[in-house]
Structure formats: structure tokens, C-alpha cells
Amino acid sequence: MSSLTKKPYYSYSSWAGYSVEYSKLKHEVQVLDYVIPPTCPPPVQQGECHVNYIRKTQSSFSWDWGPSFPTQGIWKPLEIVGFDTLLIRDVTVIPEISKGKLLNLTVSVYMELASFEPVNGLMTIYLNNSTIFYSKINIKPDENLFAEKTFKISSLNNLDVKLWWPNGLGDQPLYLLKVVFSNNDETASKSLKIGFRTIELIQEPVQNSSGLSFYFKVNGVPFFAKGSNWIPADSFQERITPEYIETLLRSAKEANMNMLRVWGGGNYESDIFYEIADRLGLLIWQDLMFACALYPTDQDFLSSVKTEVTQQIRRLQHHPSVLLWAGNNENEQSISGYWWPSVKPNLDQYKADYVKLYIDTIMPIVLKEDPSRTFLPSSPSNGPKTVKEGWISVNPQDNLYGDVHFYNYFDDEWNPDTFPRARFVSEYGYQSYPSFESISSVTNSQDWVYPLTSAIKHRQHHMFGNLELQQMISKHFKLPASSCGLQGFKDFLYLSQILQAVAIKTESEKYRRSQSEVVNGEGKTMGALYWQLNDIWPAPSWASIEYGGRWKMLHYYAKNFFSPLLISPYEENGTVIVNVVSDLSEPLEDLELNIYVYKWSSLIPVYTNVSTFNKSPRSSQVVYRENIANLLEKVIVQIEITVLFILLCNHMVQS
């Protein structure tokens, strides 16, 4: 394996790991004219330095939820493919759909030739074994022995093609597209499973607000995005099986999710990942693999990036589950927020490098290779507002534009007022510890006590994470005493999961309630993707599914707070409010709402109220509102009536 010498840039296309000589990498950093941050991760992450110079999974060198295990070697299967004339490497497909009908299909075929001699033959394209195109073609290779041909296939509206829908909105029919080149010497082919749908990102003026909307339409239908963020499922990628990916993605579907964000500090996921997402109806917000860092922009690095982005988009473009392409995770925010001391003195240089990498280099490739999808330079970002501000917004976290990432570990996490009414929240979350079954499998029995031992703390890679958890838990519960031993340790793990589940429930339900309202210009929230779905190892993290696939309490809660029909009661300024949220496409009539009031000392309600209402499709509406003082007066009256009724009954019995 090659080690890093002067130019440590490697493409995701080959995606082998590399042994890293950090002394040479350090020398490379020193000869540059300016520092490209971050130089090193926080000490609590126990990671490696200068990893932004290497085109390898950024989180493999540590993150605030994972260890530093930078692997090396070839971890995907190798095969030798022989051909006499040409090999079809990739096929991209862009459908034209109108009024639910497939009208045209643009198919681009990318080939590698065996020699520089032009090749003649017949190109045939099948859809579910029906021929939809055939023609004689002549193929001339470029200087690298590659060639591409694009075919526009029209008049397909007579085909019986059903539309693909995200989970909860409809079915996920998939069709087999097969491209075949043949001549007297050879037959080459490539088959893909594809689905047909339209996806639009709508950013338009919002009534009673100065900002713009940020929501998606699928097949012309607006929908609320419900889901989470995906990180690498294991530090050692070769251990990830198709069955494990199926388990995790099916868990997302079972929790009523329709979208996952493949986060930019991880991997471009395997083909099987996207195939399962296609089948389950999980839309994939696809980050390109740049995260929480700035990057070099010399020609060697940019050349590697061009190859990487081109290959990955051609590989993934045909999947109906792929929603959009985002250039990076939080890199716009890192500059505007002055995350590192070197930003201010190098601000103009960093801005220029950012534009050179994401706007001048990556964006043209994305738009050329896949004009059917939106490209977002970063997440979070402000859409058209970011463009007007020169691609780096003063505040990429503006609640009136684009998407936001929201974290707050200081205010009351069980109070809805803590959380914003942003247009789309693509990251938010709270930590918890995994179950005792998980954490005990990687620790020793002497560590199963509270307060936490150093061995347990070793797995906490979020700065001040344990302190934040303890403070948040203590707002609502009593922390275990040091004398409680094993039971105290189990109680702490359990309390952390309660804290996380209720916090994310509170936050997620507020976002869903906010989809139909504007308050002080904010609102019309149309997406909630909490951080994060899965774990990379057994440790405290923001995940709702533990390493290995066991659901945390949060995931059971998610199944409810992402349900298609949500009853969401809450208190605001001394008033009890009940909101009903529907993702359903049909209106609901004559629904019945039952309000029950209980005393702490009894499971028998002391007051009941029944009301009926109608529910509009795909919306949120308040169906009950009552001042708490007035409600308690009604409760007292109800109790008095009940007591009087009991006394009368007793009197009648005695008589």
C-alpha cells in the first residue's frame, strides 16, 4: 500500500484505506502558505490530525460519537473483467414525467473501450424486457479510452408505468432497465432497477414572512420530511452485511420515516444500501463526503475530487431514493461562525477556497451529471439568500431560509419553547447511553457503577457530554446515589434514554405542529431529521438504534411521534392545547377527541371532555384549547358532581 508522501489525496472511487505516515503529512501541512483547519480534533475524541488532506472517511479518524480506527487495505471484492471491444461502466437515467405519465427517458451510457479504434454495433435498451430503443451506433474513445452516448427515448406514455412514492405516500414499484451493446465480436450489458417519480425543492415567498419556504414535492405532492441522519454502520466496513443494512433501514421505515440524510463525514454507501432504500421508500438526502472542515484547493486535490464526484453520481444517479446532492456538512457554517482561530486572519482565502471547491469545481459536475436533482452547496445553508451573499451566508442557520442544524444542551429540553420554528431542520438531537446489554458487552463488571468509571467515560467522545447528560437528567429526575452499585448504573443508563426520548419527542412534535403556522415570521416547518439513526460502536451517542440493531427508547417514541396521524398535546402560556397533525392525503371527518384529566393518585379520570372535528389532509391544526385555570375549575365541578352522584347512589342503596 502506498503511504502519504507529498500529495496525500486519494479518491473515493478506489476507496481503499491507506497507511498514513503522519510525520510526512505534517511536513506537507507546514510547507503550505496557510493553515487549513481543523489541524486536530478535540482531545476527548482521541483522534488523528490533518485528516482533511486525505480523501478517506473523515469519521474513521474519530468523531464525537465514534472511535479512531483508520483502516487500510482493500475491503471490497475485486474481480478481473475481460472484454474485446467495450465495457459498459455506468448508466444514468433521467425521466420526463407529466400528469403521472412517463413521456420521455434520457439514458446516458458510459463505456470503456479496449483500443483507440472506433467501434460499431447495435445499442438496445429494454424496460421490463420490452424494447424501448435500438439503433446502430459508432463509438469513438477519448484519450483515456472512455466514451459516452446519450439517447433520448420519446413516446413512452403508452407504457403502463406506475409512479414511485416515499414511505407512507404510496407504493414503490421498480422496473428493470437493461442496456445492451452488441456486434460480431462481443455483447456488453448493464442492468439497473429504477423507479419513476418527480422531486422538486420549493423555495418561494411565505405569506406573513420575509423569508422563503424550504420543502419538497414528490410527484407534485408536498410532504413533511420525517426521518433521521445516517452515519457509517461500523468502523470496519467489511463487517457490514446486507442483512444488517436491511435491519437498520427497515427500522427506519417501521418508525414511519420517509427520509434519511447520508451525512458528509461518512461514506458513499454501498449499492445495496440504495437498493434497499429504493425498495422501502426511504428518500436519501445525499451529502458529498466533506464535513466540519476546510479543504485544500490545489490542482492535485481538485483533480481527485472531480474523479470522486463524477464516479459517485454516475453510480447512484438512477436510484429513485436519491433526493438531492449536498456539497458538504457544516462547512459554510464553520467559516461564517469562525469555528477555528485561523478563520479571521485568513477569511478571504478560506471563502475563496470554499467557492473554488464547492461552487467552481463540484457544482458544475453535479449539474452536468444529474440535472434532474437539486444541488445544495452545504447543510445548513440559506438557499437563494446564500447565493446572494457570495455562497457563504452571514448566518447559514437563519430560521427563515433553507435548512438548519439545531442543538441546545442548556435550556429545558422538555419545553417546546426551547426549539425554533425553522423551515426545515436537518439535524437536531440529544445523547443517551446504550442499554446495559450493549455497554456491558464491551466493559468489565467493576465498571458497572455510578458515578461513571474511567472505562465508561473513555467511550464518551463528546466534550462535556457526561456533564450535560447529568445536568439534563437532574432537571427531571433524581440521579442515582453512589451507594446503589450495579442498580445505580443501570438506572443512569435508563434515565439517559428517557431524557433523550422525551426531548426528541418534544422537539419533533413542535416541528410537525409548525408546518401550517407562521409565528413572528417563522414557521411553515416541513422537515425534521433528527441526529442520528444508528451507532458505529457501543457508546453514548445521539443514536436511536444501538450498535447491533437494538432499538433505544427513542426509536419506539419515533414510531409514535412520526405516525401518519399524530395527536400532540402541550402547554403554552397557561393554556392546554391539543394539535392534530395528518400526513394523510385524504380529509378526515367526524373525528372524536377525548380529553381525560387525572389526579396523580388515581388512574381513574376525574374529568372528561369529548369534542368532534374534521381534519384537512397533510396539515396541522389546533382542535382543543383551554386555559388551565378554567379547566381546573371544570375539574373541581366534575369532582363535586361525581361525589354528589356517589352520595345519592349510596343513599338509594341504603333506602
Side-chain angles (χ1 to χ4, degrees):
M1 276 302 147
S2 301
S3 61
L4 296 183
T5 53
K6 187 176 181 182
K7 295 296 182 183
Y9 311 131
Y10 296 101
S11 171
Y12 277 90
S13 56
S14 56
W15 201 243
Y18 292 85
S19 62
V20 181
E21 295 182 20
Y22 285 102
S23 60
K24 293 183 179 180
L25 182 54
K26 184 177 180 181
H27 173 72
E28 168 68 14
V29 174
Q30 289 173 340
V31 300
L32 294 176
D33 294 334
Y34 54 95
V35 173
I36 301 177
T39 53
C40 297
V44 69
Q45 292 183 18
Q46 305 164 44
E48 301 290 352
C49 300
H50 307 301
V51 302
N52 47 336
Y53 289 79
I54 306 169
R55 295 311 297 139
K56 178 168 167 49
T57 307
Q58 299 290 267
S59 62
S60 70
F61 297 92
S62 82
W63 217 262
D64 57 2
W65 37 255
S68 177
F69 289 138
T71 55
Q72 65 177 5
I74 297 170
W75 56 273
K76 287 185 177 180
L78 290 177
E79 60 180 354
I80 297 175
V81 180
F83 55 96
D84 296 321
T85 53
L86 64 81
L87 175 71
I88 299 177
R89 285 188 166 272
D90 293 293
V91 174
T92 62
V93 184
I94 299 176
E96 181 184 343
I97 298 169
S98 179
K99 298 180 181 179
K101 286 285 188 179
L102 175 64
L103 303 182
N104 305 312
L105 208 58
T106 301
V107 179
S108 295
V109 184
Y110 301 91
M111 299 159 282
E112 181 177 356
L113 278 68
S115 72
F116 288 102
E117 295 297 321
V119 174
N120 295 309
L122 181 67
M123 187 69 78
T124 309
I125 301 176
Y126 304 89
L127 187 65
N128 273 12
N129 298 320
S130 296
T131 302
I132 59 173
F133 176 86
Y134 66 92
S135 176
K136 291 181 178 180
I137 61 170
N138 176 263
I139 304 171
K140 297 179 180 179
D142 63 15
E143 66 276 9
N144 297 312
L145 289 175
F146 290 104
E148 63 181 84
K149 288 285 185 179
T150 297
F151 310 98
K152 186 164 185 178
I153 308 167
S154 57
S155 303
L156 298 176
N157 53 318
N158 292 326
L159 293 177
D160 183 22
V161 170
K162 302 291 191 300
L163 296 182
W164 184 96
W165 294 87
N167 179 38
L169 279 78
D171 297 328
Q172 294 81 41
L174 297 172
Y175 298 86
L176 183 67
L177 182 87
K178 187 174 183 180
V179 177
V180 179
F181 171 84
S182 60
N183 60 16
N184 293 331
D185 298 318
E186 193 166 49
T187 297
S189 67
K190 190 173 183 67
S191 297
L192 309 170
K193 278 194 173 181
I194 62 174
F196 299 104
R197 88 292 180 274
T198 62
I199 289 284
E200 305 167 80
L201 172 58
I202 308 299
Q203 299 182 87
E204 61 187 11
V206 175
Q207 190 174 5
N208 300 321
S209 174
S210 59
L212 298 176
S213 66
F214 189 97
Y215 68 93
F216 297 94
K217 284 184 178 180
V218 59
N219 301 324
V221 176
F223 68 98
F224 189 98
K226 303 178 298 184
S228 189
N229 285 256
W230 174 276
I231 66 166
D234 199 297
S235 295
F236 304 97
Q237 289 287 303
E238 69 278 6
R239 299 198 303 201
I240 301 173
T241 64
E243 292 76 18
Y244 187 46
I245 296 173
E246 176 92 28
T247 294
L248 294 175
L249 294 186
R250 188 164 291 280
S251 293
K253 178 184 175 74
E254 290 176 3
N256 295 304
M257 297 182 188
N258 56 34
M259 187 179 296
L260 292 175
R261 175 172 172 255
V262 174
W263 167 75
N267 302 315
Y268 298 104
E269 288 296 329
S270 64
D271 291 342
I272 192 67
F273 174 92
Y274 299 93
E275 291 167 7
I276 295 173
D278 291 343
R279 179 161 43 83
L280 298 181
L282 295 172
L283 286 165
I284 302 300
W285 172 312
Q286 181 66 54
D287 281 3
L288 303 181
M289 295 299 121
F290 303 86
C292 299
L294 305 185
Y295 292 87
T297 57
D298 60 88
Q299 288 308 306
D300 285 346
F301 188 88
L302 294 180
S303 176
S304 174
V305 168
K306 288 177 182 178
T307 301
E308 167 190 329
V309 173
T310 300
Q311 291 184 348
Q312 293 299 336
I313 291 182
R314 288 180 182 177
R315 178 175 72 95
L316 301 177
Q317 185 275 340
H318 69 276
H319 289 283
S321 59
V322 175
L323 171 75
L324 58 75
W325 309 100
N328 63 75
N329 172 78
E330 298 181 352
N331 294 353
E332 179 186 343
Q333 173 69 24
S334 72
I335 296 176
S336 63
Y338 300 101
W339 282 11
W340 306 287
S342 61
V343 174
K344 277 193 176 182
N346 295 286
L347 184 60
D348 290 341
Q349 181 67 60
Y350 290 166
K351 285 184 176 181
D353 287 350
Y354 180 94
V355 171
K356 187 175 184 180
L357 176 58
Y358 300 108
I359 308 307
D360 297 341
T361 302
I362 291 177
M363 186 168 71
I365 296 173
V366 175
L367 297 180
K368 174 183 179 295
E369 298 294 336
D370 186 11
S372 68
R373 290 181 177 86
T374 295
F375 173 73
L376 299 178
S378 186
S379 175
S381 194
N382 291 336
K385 185 172 184 285
T386 286
V387 178
K388 289 181 180 179
E389 296 182 53
W391 299 106
I392 297 182
S393 200
V394 173
N395 174 25
Q397 298 270 36
D398 194 326
N399 290 335
L400 302 182
Y401 298 87
D403 68 314
V404 305
H405 297 180
F406 183 82
Y407 297 92
N408 184 333
Y409 305 116
F410 306 103
D411 295 329
D412 187 353
E413 61 285 335
W414 288 8
N415 183 350
D417 292 338
T418 298
F419 309 112
R421 290 182 173 89
R423 302 299 193 222
F424 194 108
V425 190
S426 52
E427 271 195 38
Y428 61 97
Y430 290 92
Q431 273 198 342
S432 73
Y433 267 77
S435 64
F436 177 74
E437 289 77 7
S438 290
I439 200 69
S440 64
S441 68
V442 293
T443 54
N444 296 317
S445 58
Q446 62 265 30
D447 298 311
W448 304 338
V449 295
Y450 184 84
L452 304 176
T453 65
S454 58
I456 301 296
K457 291 178 180 178
H458 173 77
R459 289 184 171 257
Q460 173 62 272
H461 283 194
H462 172 50
M463 190 179 297
F464 308 121
N466 289 328
L467 178 62
E468 290 167 356
L469 267 175
Q470 291 164 353
Q471 289 179 338
M472 287 186 288
I473 291 171
S474 64
K475 294 176 190 174
H476 310 285
F477 304 101
K478 186 176 180 180
L479 287 166
S482 58
S483 60
C484 292
L486 174 61
Q487 188 58 50
F489 180 67
K490 290 182 176 180
D491 288 347
F492 175 75
L493 303 182
Y494 185 64
L495 290 174
S496 76
Q497 291 206 17
I498 296 176
L499 179 282
Q500 179 194 40
V502 177
I504 301 300
K505 172 186 184 293
T506 303
E507 189 168 0
S508 300
E509 289 192 9
K510 178 169 183 177
Y511 296 148
R512 292 192 69 189
R513 292 195 304 263
S514 298
Q515 67 183 270
S516 299
E517 66 181 7
V518 174
V519 178
N520 298 325
E522 297 184 359
K524 293 293 183 180
T525 309
M526 287 298 287
L529 310 179
Y530 68 76
W531 184 269
Q532 63 207 63
L533 181 75
N534 55 310
D535 258 332
I536 200 168
W537 69 331
S541 81
W542 293 257
S544 65
I545 303 177
E546 298 175 7
Y547 178 76
R550 180 184 287 110
W551 288 18
K552 286 185 179 178
M553 189 182 300
L554 169 57
H555 209 77
Y556 291 97
Y557 270 53
K559 187 173 183 177
N560 290 322
F561 63 64
F562 281 155
S563 62
L565 189 64
L566 171 69
I567 313 299
S568 180
Y570 60 103
E571 183 271 336
E572 186 176 85
N573 299 323
T575 299
V576 174
I577 302 171
V578 178
N579 197 295
V580 176
V581 182
S582 176
D583 293 331
L584 305 176
S585 59
E586 300 295 329
L588 302 173
E589 297 181 352
D590 297 326
L591 297 177
E592 188 176 277
L593 177 71
N594 293 275
I595 303 292
Y596 301 97
V597 179
Y598 296 86
K599 294 173 66 176
W600 285 110
S601 59
S602 174
L603 294 178
I604 300 174
V606 296
Y607 173 80
T608 60
N609 178 280
V610 181
S611 59
T612 59
F613 63 96
N614 297 327
K615 184 72 188 77
S616 302
R618 291 189 294 273
S619 64
S620 167
Q621 73 185 75
V622 173
V623 298
Y624 179 87
R625 187 188 298 269
E626 183 72 70
N627 180 273
I628 292 178
N630 294 339
L631 178 61
L632 291 177
E633 288 183 8
K634 294 179 180 180
V635 171
I636 293 171
V637 171
Q638 180 74 51
I639 292 174
E640 291 174 347
I641 293 173
T642 302
V643 172
L644 179 60
F645 177 75
I646 292 172
L647 290 173
L648 287 172
C649 288
N650 288 338
H651 177 73
M652 292 172 64
V653 170
Q654 293 169 3
S655 299

